[in-house]
Amino acid sequence: MRGTRLGGRSRRGRHRCVSGFSRGLDRPGLQRILTGLAELDVIVFFKIDRLARSTVDFAEIMRLAEHQSVALAAATEPLDLTSSMGRAMAKVIAVFAELESDTIGMRVSSAHEHLRREGRGG
């Protein structure tokens, strides 16, 4: 996640060494941004599925940003998150991001279980 200066106040944040499948709002880079919302005008993120992997988390980020009058902008998705239609489409994208995350998690767990059954896993 990266904030950029668009004629307003900004803070840059990146979170590394944290799984893309991490859920919740306790990721270090995200926490730095969320705790400093009052100082920002906009949060620019790469894609919705990189900002949040659950619909609950995305809705909470939207709520927190709106409460502080901070705009959200996806760098790669042409959504107007200031409009009702744009927010609705963003929530639909968040639903599919959560589905993708859950599906990948199930596949990985299944593969690990298969390897354990065959004596090839730890």
Side-chain angles (χ1 to χ4, degrees):
M1 176 181 353
R2 183 187 305 238
T4 60
R5 191 159 187 79
L6 297 173
R9 302 161 293 157
S10 70
R11 171 178 295 169
R12 290 181 182 262
R14 284 187 160 233
H15 45 92
R16 295 180 186 207
C17 301
V18 177
S19 169
F21 299 107
S22 295
R23 297 246 172 122
L25 303 179
D26 58 349
R27 294 173 289 160
L30 181 58
Q31 268 305 301
R32 280 192 302 276
I33 290 169
L34 294 178
T35 57
L37 280 177
E39 303 168 13
L40 301 175
D41 296 316
V42 63
I43 298 172
V44 179
F45 49 92
F46 183 66
K47 292 176 65 171
I48 289 171
D49 66 353
R50 303 313 308 153
L51 178 64
R53 285 292 194 158
S54 87
T55 54
V56 171
D57 292 347
F58 184 67
E60 180 64 6
I61 292 167
M62 285 180 54
R63 187 191 70 76
L64 291 168
E66 185 176 334
H67 180 72
Q68 293 288 333
S69 299
V70 175
L72 295 174
T76 60
E77 296 160 332
L79 297 170
D80 176 5
L81 297 177
T82 63
S83 72
S84 296
M85 185 61 74
R87 287 190 302 274
M89 290 305 298
K91 290 174 186 174
V92 169
I93 291 169
V95 166
F96 283 101
E98 184 171 358
L99 174 64
E100 176 186 34
S101 177
D102 290 346
T103 302
I104 291 170
M106 287 187 305
R107 287 182 189 148
V108 169
S109 293
S110 178
H112 286 176
E113 180 59 31
H114 176 76
L115 290 172
R116 275 192 291 278
R117 279 194 305 261
E118 292 193 353
R120 296 189 287 158

